[in-house]
Amino acid sequence: MRFPRSSGLLLHPTSLPGRYGIGDLGAAAYRFVDFLVSAKQRLWQVLPLGPTGYGDSPYQCFSAFAGNPLLISPDRLVEDGLLIKEDVHEAPNFPAHTVDYGEVIYYKRDLLNRATQRFRSGARQALAADFEAFSREQAAWLEDFALFMALKDAHGGAMWSTWQPDIARRKPEALRAWREKLADSIFAHKFFQFLFFRQWLAVKRYANERGIQIVGDIPIFVAYDSADVWAHPDLFFLDEDGRATVVAGVPPDLFSATGQLWGNPLYRWDVMHARDYAWWIERFRAMLTQVDLLRIDHFIGFTRYWAVPAGEPTAVKGRWQPGPGAALFHAVERALGQLPIIAEDLGAITPQVIALRDQFEFPGMKVLQFAFSDGAADPFLPHNYPRNCVVYTGTHDNDTSAGWFRSAQPHERAFALRYLGRSGDDFAWDFIRLAFSSVADMAVVPLQDVFRLGSEARMNFPGRPAGNWGWRFTPEMLNAAQGDRLRELVESYGRETPQDGRPKTPDEG
């Protein structure tokens, strides 16, 4: 699918400012949309919105369908009558520039429990019909997810494979008994999801009405400790005790002599094919209610994937296995129509990956930070781009552009400055200009680059087990001058898109 020429910013909602320790879906989210509109941006890219587990990574969620309750705005709950002002009057003195997940989880879980109790006690009964409708419409994933989370609470957060065998293996009598025993906790987790989607879809609607599209992110793999694997063990390579027999990773390369061992369970594509990829269809259907476009993380895994025997200390002893290829996307398109997908095709791209991407006209990704190692023929240099691609200055897994410039090899810095024809005094904005001026249909810039921030503002260090996903900004950091400068680049390089979705013509100014 070809997209209109446009641009936007990459910012996960956890990074928004606010006094509750983590960005949320309250006033700051609406102000950010207003900033995008004033800057003539058309895209807001986010990371996966699911409930995060150990390590706080949005790429290791407890569900591929659920939302993250930590993003629920307490101020919106006050407006809804589910909290009172006294509940939020004295929030802890959270750090302004980072998320302390442990403290935030403790604080916000208490607020959400108060809101749930107030609702169950009769407050805001006008919401009751909406909650019942949500629970009914989302039952296919919500019932299993709410029970899974209630069970995790009851087992002190332990991984599902360590639960008693009868409930770990979902014996019908155990499911009935635990549903009865944990009824209150199950209700609470359903209500948290209702609140999340009520607030997120309101933000999305506000953005869409102002010409902003939300770009979401769908990791190809799911976390082992998730409702998805627990509820659908037959879709994954698991043994009779529910433990993974092979796990995901990537093989050794120039960057790592032992490869990368991700540990996600691997799909039984034969079973999914026999069921016409029904689970994936529902996953795409759910995601396309939350966002407008979808970036698929590790798209190359649909052509082949690296399978590592469970228990291996590194990814060295894995082997390549075939993915589902075009059959998956044909099945999804038969059910849902043409898919608004961006293919994250970075890494060991093969002719098969290119063919699959191009067969469905999915735009691939170009990252400017990768462009200055191999000379003029490098495919990440803008003069080598096809139009049907998305250019990024960097992604959540990269350093900021200013940080990259400071730490890059001398020959990379020299080539970058020569290519840009600039001094490097304002490197982050030079990179933004280069992205916007390229022929790529879409250009996306992490907000950290707009702020010219260095490595201290990096979102993720791949391979580092803790201390990631915490960066936040404060309200005064985002100002009209930045919006004016972005708007000037949009106008200079023709990235204006009318709200009917057509590329802007010269006659339209």
Side-chain angles (χ1 to χ4, degrees):
M1 175 182 286
R2 289 293 301 274
F3 296 97
R5 187 167 172 81
S6 59
S7 62
L9 300 182
L10 168 59
L11 178 78
H12 198 48
T14 57
S15 297
L16 289 163
R19 65 189 187 96
Y20 299 111
I22 190 171
D24 62 39
L25 305 176
Y30 292 83
R31 285 195 297 270
F32 183 66
V33 171
D34 292 340
F35 175 83
L36 292 171
V37 173
S38 71
K40 288 195 174 180
Q41 303 305 297
R42 289 292 175 261
L43 305 171
W44 176 7
Q45 182 166 335
V46 299
L47 306 182
L49 294 167
T52 56
Y54 177 78
D56 311 307
S57 171
Y59 293 89
Q60 295 286 340
C61 290
F62 290 132
S63 169
F65 295 81
N68 189 350
L70 296 181
L71 294 175
I72 295 170
S73 164
D75 291 333
R76 289 291 187 258
L77 297 182
V78 172
E79 292 173 10
D80 280 339
L82 295 170
L83 293 177
I84 57 176
K85 290 183 179 180
E86 287 73 14
D87 290 326
V88 300
H89 180 65
E90 294 185 359
N93 187 25
F94 289 114
H97 290 282
T98 190
V99 181
D100 182 342
Y101 278 95
E103 291 300 315
V104 165
I105 290 168
Y106 177 81
Y107 174 71
K108 295 200 79 169
R109 185 66 180 267
D110 177 64
L111 290 183
L112 291 173
N113 284 332
R114 292 189 199 187
T116 304
Q117 289 303 315
R118 195 161 279 123
F119 176 74
R120 298 196 78 176
S121 299
R124 283 308 308 272
Q125 280 305 297
L127 295 177
D130 290 342
F131 173 58
E132 290 173 6
F134 172 82
S135 300
R136 185 170 57 252
E137 292 164 3
Q138 306 302 322
W141 64 267
L142 184 62
E143 291 292 335
D144 283 323
F145 171 75
L147 176 57
F148 175 83
M149 295 304 295
L151 283 162
K152 281 191 73 68
D153 291 344
H155 289 85
M159 190 175 297
W160 67 265
S161 57
T162 67
W163 302 343
Q164 296 93 323
D166 57 348
I167 190 60
R169 298 179 190 177
R170 295 176 58 85
K171 300 294 186 183
E173 60 275 14
L175 290 172
R176 285 193 294 271
W178 280 102
R179 283 195 178 103
E180 182 176 347
K181 180 179 179 179
L182 301 178
D184 288 345
S185 181
I186 291 169
F187 181 95
H189 282 289
K190 288 182 180 180
F191 192 62
F192 298 167
Q193 290 302 303
F194 167 71
L195 295 176
F196 168 84
F197 282 104
R198 174 178 166 82
Q199 291 191 3
W200 171 248
L201 294 178
V203 171
K204 179 180 181 294
R205 184 166 55 250
Y206 184 85
N208 289 165
E209 289 170 351
R210 287 153 182 80
I212 305 298
Q213 291 191 303
I214 307 294
V215 183
D217 198 322
I218 183 167
I220 184 174
F221 298 122
V222 298
Y224 173 75
D225 192 22
S226 66
D228 310 293
V229 178
W230 175 68
H232 305 283
D234 53 324
L235 298 180
F236 302 87
F237 283 105
L238 307 179
D239 63 20
E240 61 182 12
D241 294 321
R243 295 179 175 84
T245 57
V246 286
V247 296
V250 291
D253 56 22
L254 293 175
F255 301 100
S256 173
T258 58
Q260 296 180 41
L261 187 62
W262 297 337
N264 305 77
L266 293 171
Y267 299 112
R268 291 194 58 187
W269 288 117
D270 58 336
V271 175
M272 289 193 164
H273 177 75
R275 299 177 186 176
D276 203 25
Y277 302 100
W279 184 85
W280 273 94
I281 289 170
E282 292 311 309
R283 187 180 185 188
F284 276 112
R285 191 194 309 275
M287 288 299 301
L288 290 172
T289 64
Q290 299 177 33
V291 300
D292 303 297
L293 289 74
L294 271 175
R295 170 193 178 272
I296 299 184
D297 191 57
H298 198 58
F299 180 81
I300 63 177
F302 290 112
T303 61
R304 64 174 186 168
Y305 58 91
W306 190 246
V308 183
E312 285 291 324
T314 72
V316 170
K317 294 185 179 180
R319 60 177 181 170
W320 289 114
Q321 296 289 344
L328 167 66
F329 295 102
H330 282 308
V332 176
E333 287 200 345
R334 283 194 298 272
L336 304 178
Q338 194 172 19
L339 298 173
I341 282 174
I342 297 166
E344 187 272 284
D345 54 353
L346 308 174
I349 188 168
T350 64
Q352 292 77 18
V353 175
I354 295 171
L356 180 63
R357 181 196 68 198
D358 292 350
Q359 178 179 351
F360 293 92
E361 294 189 302
F362 298 152
M365 286 179 54
K366 304 294 182 183
V367 180
L368 288 179
Q369 290 183 26
F370 297 164
F372 299 98
S373 298
D374 297 324
D378 193 298
F380 290 102
L381 285 169
H383 67 265
N384 295 319
Y385 292 174
R387 291 186 180 275
N388 191 29
C389 71
V390 188
V391 59
Y392 294 78
T393 52
T395 74
H396 62 277
D397 280 335
N398 302 124
D399 204 342
T400 66
S401 291
W404 174 85
F405 184 66
R406 293 180 189 126
S407 62
Q409 294 296 315
H411 74 278
E412 292 179 302
R413 287 200 301 273
F415 184 18
L417 293 179
R418 188 166 70 250
Y419 192 90
L420 289 161
R422 311 290 283 187
S423 68
D425 291 341
D426 195 5
F427 186 81
W429 274 89
D430 292 340
F431 243 25
I432 295 172
R433 179 180 292 275
L434 183 60
F436 277 51
S437 66
S438 76
V439 298
D441 284 338
M442 292 183 282
V444 177
V445 175
L447 186 63
Q448 292 96 316
D449 287 352
V450 174
F451 294 149
R452 303 184 180 91
L453 296 177
S455 302
E456 75 282 355
R458 185 169 178 166
M459 195 65 168
N460 182 43
F461 289 78
R464 188 173 75 176
N468 298 315
W469 316 110
W471 177 76
R472 298 178 71 203
F473 72 97
T474 50
E476 70 278 1
M477 294 171 67
L478 196 63
N479 58 57
Q482 296 155 348
D484 292 343
R485 197 168 181 184
L486 286 168
R487 183 171 62 251
E488 179 183 83
L489 293 179
V490 166
E491 294 169 350
S492 297
Y493 297 117
R495 293 194 177 275
E496 297 180 77
T497 306
Q499 294 200 20
D500 61 8
R502 296 176 295 107
K504 192 164 187 177
T505 68
D507 290 340
E508 292 174 306

